[in-house]
């Protein structure tokens, strides 16, 4: 959450010993990390059947490409949503088929076109009318290759005892250097 989740590279630095073997303690730590990642980020609720996603503005389709909002949840790395030229803000709304417990939202820009987003907010709702800002005091500025936002605002204790059930999730891109693009929106 504090490396990859903040658009950085996770460097594990687990070299083998002189015998060419990873020490048992390192192997255990790597397994624990893998188990935690699978538990917390293993099931993308936005990629499941019955989920809908909309955007307040979408670029017109090109000769060989569409920029539809559904591209953000199709699991493909070569499709993406884009706003029209000249647009520097937009709202993306994800609707789950039923209320679910969620802890994290992951966003990924279509980085081949550069890092564009300069500011965004995340909100949740159970009814689609009343919205609550999420992410605590975490700076929601850039997205880049990947941002993972814990909805409770804590990278240390992101699994609260009384989590909220969410049916609607809204990402509002408040500012962008150029028309914003998103390759992926994931919900965990």
């Amino acid at each position: 959450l504090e490396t990859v989740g903040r658009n950085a590279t996770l460097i594990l630095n687990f070299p083998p010993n002189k015998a060419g073997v990873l020490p048992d303690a390192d192997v255990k730590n790597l397994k624990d990390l893998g188990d935690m990642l699978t538990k917390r980020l293993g099931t993308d609720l936005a990629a499941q059947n019955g989920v809908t996603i909309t955007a307040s503005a979408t670029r017109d389709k090109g000769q060989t490409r569409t920029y539809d909002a559904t591209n953000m949840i199709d699991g493909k790395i070569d499709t993406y949503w884009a706003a029209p030229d000249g647009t520097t803000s937009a709202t993306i709304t994800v609707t789950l088929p039923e209320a679910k417990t969620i802890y994290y939202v992951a966003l990924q820009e279509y980085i081949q076109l550069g890092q564009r987003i300069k500011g965004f907010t995340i909100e949740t709702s159970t009814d689609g009318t009343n919205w609550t800002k999420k992410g605590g005091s975490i700076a929601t500025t850039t997205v880049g290759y990947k941002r993972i936002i814990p909805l409770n605002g804590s990278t240390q204790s992101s699994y609260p005892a009384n989590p909220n059930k969410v049916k609607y999730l809204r990402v509002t891109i408040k500012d962008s250097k150029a028309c914003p693009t998103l390759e992926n929106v994931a919900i965990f």
Side-chain angles (χ1 to χ4, degrees):
L1 295 176
E2 294 182 3
T3 54
V4 175
R6 290 186 180 162
N7 193 25
T9 303
L10 175 63
I11 300 173
L12 294 174
N13 198 18
F14 281 101
N17 61 23
K18 290 180 180 181
V21 178
L22 291 175
D24 290 342
D26 289 353
V27 171
K28 180 189 179 316
N29 287 336
L30 286 169
K31 181 170 181 344
D32 291 348
L33 175 63
D35 291 346
M36 182 186 70
L37 290 173
T38 299
K39 176 184 174 188
R40 293 185 180 192
L41 303 171
T43 303
D44 178 6
L45 298 175
Q48 296 183 342
N49 288 333
V51 173
T52 60
I53 186 167
T54 59
S56 62
T58 300
R59 175 185 295 274
D60 291 335
K61 70 179 183 172
Q63 287 184 338
T64 60
R65 181 181 295 273
T66 66
Y67 304 97
D68 297 332
T70 55
N71 291 349
M72 292 181 277
I73 59 171
D74 68 3
K76 298 177 183 174
I77 62 170
D78 59 345
T79 63
Y80 60 96
W81 161 84
D85 284 338
T87 302
T88 57
S89 62
T91 300
I92 292 106
T93 305
V94 179
T95 304
L96 301 173
E98 61 188 67
K100 298 273 188 177
T101 299
I102 65 172
Y103 298 97
Y104 308 101
V105 174
L107 304 173
Q108 290 181 265
E109 288 188 72
Y110 187 69
I111 206 65
Q112 292 86 327
L113 297 177
Q115 185 170 312
R116 298 174 175 208
I117 296 171
K118 298 190 320 185
F120 66 96
T121 59
I122 295 175
E123 298 168 292
T124 62
S125 175
T126 56
D127 61 11
T129 302
N130 300 299
W131 295 89
T132 304
K133 184 180 178 296
K134 295 294 182 176
S137 61
I138 291 176
T140 50
T141 53
T142 60
V143 172
Y145 172 72
K146 184 179 277 185
R147 277 298 297 275
I148 303 172
I149 305 295
L151 295 184
N152 74 343
S154 172
T155 59
Q156 302 302 312
S157 60
S158 51
Y159 264 53
N162 298 312
N164 292 320
K165 294 253 182 193
V166 173
K167 183 168 172 65
Y168 303 92
L169 177 97
R170 182 165 66 190
V171 177
T172 302
I173 299 169
K174 296 165 39 173
D175 193 15
S176 186
K177 295 177 184 180
C179 60
T181 66
L182 283 174
E183 177 236 313
N184 190 40
V185 172
I187 301 170
F188 304 100

